[in-house]
Amino acid sequence: MCRVAAYLGADVALEDIIIRPRHSLLQQSQAATEAKLAVQGDGFGIAWYAADQRPGLYRDVLPAWSDGNLTSLCRMIASRLFLAHVRASTVGETARTNCHPFAHGRWCFMHNGEIADFTRIRRELEALLPDTLYLSRRGTTDSELFFLLALAEGLDEDPPEAIRRTIARIEQVQGKVAHPNRLTCVFSNGSEIWGFRRSSDGLSPTLYVSESFATGGLTLASEPLDERGAHWCSVPEGEIVQLSAHGISAAKL
Protein backbone atom coordinates (compact mmCIF):
# COMPACT_ATOMS: atom_id res chain seq x y z
CA MET A 1 0.00 0.00 0.00
CA CYS A 2 1.02 3.60 -0.63
CA ARG A 3 0.82 6.85 1.34
CA VAL A 4 -0.54 10.16 0.05
CA ALA A 5 -0.83 13.80 1.08
CA ALA A 6 -2.48 16.87 -0.49
CA TYR A 7 -2.85 20.53 0.39
CA LEU A 8 -5.10 23.44 -0.65
CA GLY A 9 -4.81 26.98 0.69
CA ALA A 10 -2.46 29.93 0.75
CA ASP A 11 0.95 29.38 -0.82
CA VAL A 12 3.20 27.26 1.39
CA ALA A 13 6.49 25.50 0.74
CA LEU A 14 5.92 21.87 -0.21
CA GLU A 15 8.26 20.89 2.62
CA ASP A 16 5.66 22.10 5.15
CA ILE A 17 3.54 19.04 4.28
CA ILE A 18 5.94 16.57 2.70
CA ILE A 19 9.17 16.95 4.70
CA ARG A 20 8.99 18.94 7.95
CA PRO A 21 6.04 17.58 10.00
CA ARG A 22 6.79 15.05 12.72
CA HIS A 23 4.95 12.32 10.79
CA SER A 24 5.45 13.80 7.32
CA LEU A 25 4.92 11.92 4.09
CA LEU A 26 8.70 11.43 3.91
CA GLN A 27 8.63 9.92 7.40
CA GLN A 28 5.72 7.70 6.40
CA SER A 29 7.72 6.37 3.46
CA GLN A 30 9.98 4.66 6.02
CA ALA A 31 7.71 4.23 9.02
CA ALA A 32 4.02 4.15 8.07
CA THR A 33 1.81 3.19 10.98
CA GLU A 34 -1.54 2.52 9.25
CA ALA A 35 -0.45 0.52 6.21
CA LYS A 36 0.21 -3.17 5.58
CA LEU A 37 3.85 -2.30 4.94
CA ALA A 38 5.81 0.16 7.04
CA VAL A 39 8.13 0.98 4.13
CA GLN A 40 6.95 2.57 0.88
CA GLY A 41 10.07 2.38 -1.28
CA ASP A 42 8.92 1.84 -4.88
CA GLY A 43 9.10 5.44 -6.04
CA PHE A 44 7.47 8.76 -5.27
CA GLY A 45 5.98 11.79 -6.97
CA ILE A 46 4.75 15.34 -6.46
CA ALA A 47 2.33 17.43 -8.53
CA TRP A 48 1.86 21.15 -7.89
CA TYR A 49 -0.04 24.06 -9.40
CA ALA A 50 1.14 27.60 -10.10
CA ALA A 51 0.07 30.09 -12.78
CA ASP A 52 -0.18 27.45 -15.50
CA GLN A 53 -3.43 25.51 -15.54
CA ARG A 54 -1.50 22.26 -15.85
CA PRO A 55 0.37 20.84 -12.86
CA GLY A 56 4.12 20.60 -12.55
CA LEU A 57 5.19 16.99 -12.07
CA TYR A 58 8.27 15.35 -10.55
CA ARG A 59 8.43 11.56 -10.18
CA ASP A 60 11.17 9.00 -9.75
CA VAL A 61 11.67 5.32 -8.95
CA LEU A 62 14.04 5.97 -6.04
CA PRO A 63 12.69 5.65 -2.52
CA ALA A 64 11.67 9.13 -1.39
CA TRP A 65 14.29 9.18 1.36
CA SER A 66 17.09 8.47 -1.16
CA ASP A 67 16.50 11.42 -3.49
CA GLY A 68 18.16 14.62 -2.31
CA ASN A 69 16.43 16.48 -5.14
CA LEU A 70 13.08 15.92 -3.44
CA THR A 71 14.01 17.72 -0.24
CA SER A 72 15.61 20.56 -2.22
CA LEU A 73 12.59 21.00 -4.50
CA CYS A 74 10.16 20.86 -1.59
CA ARG A 75 12.16 23.59 0.17
CA MET A 76 12.20 25.87 -2.87
CA ILE A 77 8.74 25.32 -4.40
CA ALA A 78 5.73 27.08 -2.87
CA SER A 79 2.23 26.30 -4.08
CA ARG A 80 -1.41 26.89 -3.20
CA LEU A 81 -2.36 23.32 -4.22
CA PHE A 82 -0.24 20.19 -4.43
CA LEU A 83 -0.39 16.40 -4.19
CA ALA A 84 2.33 13.95 -3.13
CA HIS A 85 2.62 10.17 -3.14
CA VAL A 86 5.06 7.49 -1.94
CA ARG A 87 4.60 4.10 -3.57
CA ALA A 88 4.53 0.50 -2.38
CA SER A 89 3.64 -1.25 -5.62
CA THR A 90 0.87 -3.81 -6.02
CA VAL A 91 0.32 -3.64 -9.80
CA GLY A 92 2.94 -2.59 -12.36
CA GLU A 93 6.72 -2.72 -12.22
CA THR A 94 8.86 -0.07 -10.58
CA ALA A 95 9.14 2.49 -13.37
CA ARG A 96 8.78 6.26 -13.56
CA THR A 97 5.68 5.90 -15.74
CA ASN A 98 4.03 3.93 -12.93
CA CYS A 99 4.79 6.47 -10.21
CA HIS A 100 1.96 8.69 -8.97
CA PRO A 101 0.58 11.31 -9.33
CA PHE A 102 -0.57 10.83 -12.90
CA ALA A 103 -1.43 13.94 -14.89
CA HIS A 104 -3.63 14.67 -17.90
CA GLY A 105 -4.44 18.24 -18.92
CA ARG A 106 -5.34 20.19 -15.79
CA TRP A 107 -5.99 17.01 -13.74
CA CYS A 108 -3.69 15.02 -11.49
CA PHE A 109 -4.56 11.80 -9.69
CA MET A 110 -3.12 9.35 -7.17
CA HIS A 111 -4.37 6.08 -5.72
CA ASN A 112 -3.72 3.76 -2.81
CA GLY A 113 -5.14 0.23 -3.08
CA GLU A 114 -5.91 -2.07 -5.97
CA ILE A 115 -8.54 -3.19 -8.47
CA ALA A 116 -9.28 -6.88 -7.96
CA ASP A 117 -8.35 -9.33 -10.74
CA PHE A 118 -6.77 -6.52 -12.71
CA THR A 119 -4.66 -8.77 -14.92
CA ARG A 120 -7.77 -10.66 -16.03
CA ILE A 121 -9.89 -7.58 -16.80
CA ARG A 122 -7.23 -5.07 -17.91
CA ARG A 123 -7.75 -5.54 -21.64
CA GLU A 124 -11.52 -5.17 -21.38
CA LEU A 125 -11.20 -2.03 -19.26
CA GLU A 126 -8.72 -0.48 -21.68
CA ALA A 127 -11.20 -1.12 -24.49
CA LEU A 128 -13.62 1.25 -22.73
CA LEU A 129 -11.27 4.20 -23.26
CA PRO A 130 -11.74 6.56 -26.20
CA ASP A 131 -8.73 6.64 -28.51
CA THR A 132 -7.35 9.94 -27.23
CA LEU A 133 -7.23 8.72 -23.64
CA TYR A 134 -5.99 5.25 -24.59
CA LEU A 135 -3.08 6.81 -26.47
CA SER A 136 -2.17 8.94 -23.46
CA ARG A 137 -1.66 5.85 -21.24
CA ARG A 138 2.03 5.55 -20.37
CA GLY A 139 2.26 2.99 -17.58
CA THR A 140 0.81 -0.38 -16.66
CA THR A 141 -0.92 0.27 -13.35
CA ASP A 142 -4.55 -0.16 -12.41
CA SER A 143 -4.30 3.34 -10.87
CA GLU A 144 -3.55 5.16 -14.11
CA LEU A 145 -6.25 3.20 -15.93
CA PHE A 146 -8.81 4.11 -13.25
CA PHE A 147 -7.87 7.78 -13.72
CA LEU A 148 -8.30 7.61 -17.51
CA LEU A 149 -11.63 5.80 -17.14
CA ALA A 150 -12.82 8.54 -14.77
CA LEU A 151 -11.86 11.17 -17.34
CA ALA A 152 -13.83 9.23 -19.96
CA GLU A 153 -16.82 9.13 -17.60
CA GLY A 154 -16.99 12.92 -17.20
CA LEU A 155 -14.50 13.92 -14.52
CA ASP A 156 -14.44 17.46 -15.95
CA GLU A 157 -18.19 17.93 -15.56
CA ASP A 158 -19.09 16.12 -12.32
CA PRO A 159 -16.23 14.46 -10.40
CA PRO A 160 -18.31 12.48 -7.84
CA GLU A 161 -20.66 11.14 -10.52
CA ALA A 162 -17.72 10.26 -12.77
CA ILE A 163 -16.17 8.25 -9.93
CA ARG A 164 -19.48 6.46 -9.30
CA ARG A 165 -19.80 5.56 -12.98
CA THR A 166 -16.18 4.41 -13.17
CA ILE A 167 -16.57 2.09 -10.18
CA ALA A 168 -19.80 0.71 -11.63
CA ARG A 169 -18.09 0.06 -14.98
CA ILE A 170 -15.24 -1.78 -13.31
CA GLU A 171 -17.55 -3.89 -11.17
CA GLN A 172 -19.66 -4.76 -14.21
CA VAL A 173 -16.58 -5.98 -16.08
CA GLN A 174 -15.27 -7.87 -13.05
CA GLY A 175 -18.39 -9.87 -12.29
CA LYS A 176 -17.73 -12.10 -9.30
CA VAL A 177 -14.23 -11.67 -7.85
CA ALA A 178 -12.31 -13.60 -5.22
CA HIS A 179 -10.59 -10.53 -3.79
CA PRO A 180 -11.98 -7.11 -2.84
CA ASN A 181 -11.57 -3.83 -4.68
CA ARG A 182 -9.87 -1.29 -2.44
CA LEU A 183 -9.78 2.29 -3.62
CA THR A 184 -8.52 5.33 -1.76
CA CYS A 185 -7.91 8.10 -4.27
CA VAL A 186 -7.03 11.80 -4.22
CA PHE A 187 -7.23 13.99 -7.30
CA SER A 188 -7.41 17.64 -8.37
CA ASN A 189 -8.26 19.95 -11.26
CA GLY A 190 -6.04 22.74 -9.94
CA SER A 191 -8.89 24.52 -8.12
CA GLU A 192 -10.35 21.86 -5.82
CA ILE A 193 -9.16 18.55 -4.38
CA TRP A 194 -11.32 15.43 -4.03
CA GLY A 195 -10.58 12.35 -1.97
CA PHE A 196 -12.57 9.18 -1.43
CA ARG A 197 -12.50 5.73 0.14
CA ARG A 198 -14.43 2.88 -1.45
CA SER A 199 -14.03 -0.89 -1.16
CA SER A 200 -16.09 -4.03 -1.52
CA ASP A 201 -15.18 -5.27 1.97
CA GLY A 202 -15.19 -2.05 4.03
CA LEU A 203 -11.40 -2.06 4.36
CA SER A 204 -10.19 0.62 1.99
CA PRO A 205 -6.87 2.28 2.92
CA THR A 206 -7.01 5.13 5.39
CA LEU A 207 -7.51 8.81 4.54
CA TYR A 208 -7.75 11.77 6.91
CA VAL A 209 -8.71 15.41 6.45
CA SER A 210 -7.80 18.45 8.56
CA GLU A 211 -8.94 22.09 8.47
CA SER A 212 -6.29 23.27 10.91
CA PHE A 213 -3.06 21.33 10.40
CA ALA A 214 -1.78 24.02 8.02
CA THR A 215 -2.76 27.58 8.97
CA GLY A 216 -5.39 28.79 6.55
CA GLY A 217 -5.30 25.61 4.49
CA LEU A 218 -6.93 22.21 4.10
CA THR A 219 -4.97 18.95 4.18
CA LEU A 220 -5.61 15.34 3.18
CA ALA A 221 -3.26 12.56 4.23
CA SER A 222 -3.14 8.78 4.55
CA GLU A 223 -2.01 9.24 8.14
CA PRO A 224 -2.14 12.36 10.36
CA LEU A 225 1.01 14.33 9.68
CA ASP A 226 1.53 15.36 13.31
CA GLU A 227 0.40 11.96 14.53
CA ARG A 228 -3.18 11.56 15.62
CA GLY A 229 -4.68 14.87 16.77
CA ALA A 230 -8.27 15.89 17.35
CA HIS A 231 -8.27 18.09 14.24
CA TRP A 232 -7.82 15.07 11.94
CA CYS A 233 -11.05 13.37 10.84
CA SER A 234 -11.14 10.04 9.04
CA VAL A 235 -12.88 10.14 5.66
CA PRO A 236 -15.65 7.54 6.03
CA GLU A 237 -15.75 4.45 3.87
CA GLY A 238 -17.97 5.03 0.83
CA GLU A 239 -17.70 8.81 1.00
CA ILE A 240 -16.06 11.42 -1.25
CA VAL A 241 -14.89 14.75 0.18
CA GLN A 242 -14.25 17.97 -1.72
CA LEU A 243 -11.75 20.57 -0.55
CA SER A 244 -12.33 24.03 -2.00
CA ALA A 245 -12.08 27.71 -1.20
CA HIS A 246 -15.46 27.28 0.56
CA GLY A 247 -14.19 24.58 2.91
CA ILE A 248 -14.92 20.85 3.03
CA SER A 249 -18.05 19.15 1.72
CA ALA A 250 -18.91 15.46 1.46
CA ALA A 251 -21.16 13.11 -0.48
CA LYS A 252 -21.87 9.39 -0.63
CA LEU A 253 -20.44 7.28 -3.42
Side-chain angles (χ1 to χ4, degrees):
M1 295 298 175
C2 310
R3 303 284 84 181
V4 306
Y7 168 83
L8 170 66
D11 280 9
V12 299
L14 271 60
E15 69 174 0
D16 289 352
I17 301 296
I18 300 171
I19 307 295
R20 295 180 62 189
R22 185 169 51 202
H23 195 54
S24 68
L25 193 66
L26 182 62
Q27 174 67 19
Q28 291 177 37
S29 71
Q30 299 181 79
T33 58
E34 298 189 41
K36 284 185 176 180
L37 301 174
V39 176
Q40 327 289 312
D42 296 324
F44 69 89
I46 53 176
W48 69 97
Y49 291 86
D52 196 306
Q53 189 179 43
R54 296 171 299 171
L57 199 62
Y58 178 66
R59 303 181 295 173
D60 210 336
V61 297
L62 290 173
W65 64 84
S66 295
D67 190 330
N69 292 321
L70 177 64
T71 54
S72 181
L73 287 171
C74 287
R75 178 172 55 86
M76 296 303 296
I77 296 173
S79 175
R80 59 180 171 76
L81 195 163
F82 56 89
L83 280 63
H85 185 281
V86 290
R87 184 173 185 239
S89 61
T90 53
V91 176
E93 66 273 13
T94 302
R96 188 175 286 111
T97 52
N98 287 335
C99 291
H100 311 220
F102 304 100
H104 186 277
R106 63 177 179 152
W107 289 93
C108 61
F109 177 95
M110 53 191 184
H111 167 222
N112 179 16
E114 61 183 316
I115 295 173
D117 291 351
F118 181 67
T119 301
R120 173 177 65 85
I121 65 173
R122 172 182 168 179
R123 183 173 179 181
E124 190 170 351
L125 290 179
E126 288 179 337
L128 298 175
L129 294 174
D131 288 347
T132 53
L133 289 173
Y134 179 80
L135 292 172
S136 72
R137 182 153 157 79
R138 296 290 180 265
T140 58
T141 64
D142 53 347
S143 307
E144 183 189 22
L145 183 51
F146 186 98
F147 174 38
L148 296 175
L149 287 167
L151 287 167
E153 291 293 338
L155 199 63
D156 271 319
E157 292 76 33
D158 187 337
E161 185 57 30
I163 295 300
R164 294 183 192 103
R165 288 198 294 260
T166 301
I167 292 171
R169 285 269 203 176
I170 291 170
E171 291 177 345
Q172 182 180 27
V173 170
Q174 283 173 321
K176 186 176 181 180
V177 293
H179 303 286
N181 291 317
R182 289 178 179 162
L183 302 166
T184 295
C185 300
V186 176
F187 54 98
S188 177
N189 61 3
S191 299
E192 294 86 33
I193 299 173
W194 288 264
F196 72 87
R197 298 177 61 221
R198 173 67 150 73
S199 69
S200 49
D201 64 352
L203 296 174
S204 55
T206 56
L207 187 65
Y208 294 85
V209 63
S210 174
E211 295 182 87
S212 57
F213 172 73
T215 303
L218 306 173
T219 310
L220 278 169
S222 291
E223 299 178 16
L225 299 175
D226 53 357
E227 300 178 352
R228 192 182 295 277
H231 60 91
W232 291 99
C233 297
S234 176
V235 175
E237 174 80 30
E239 188 166 294
I240 184 168
V241 296
Q242 178 184 8
L243 280 57
S244 73
H246 304 293
I248 300 171
S249 58
K252 294 293 183 182
L253 281 179

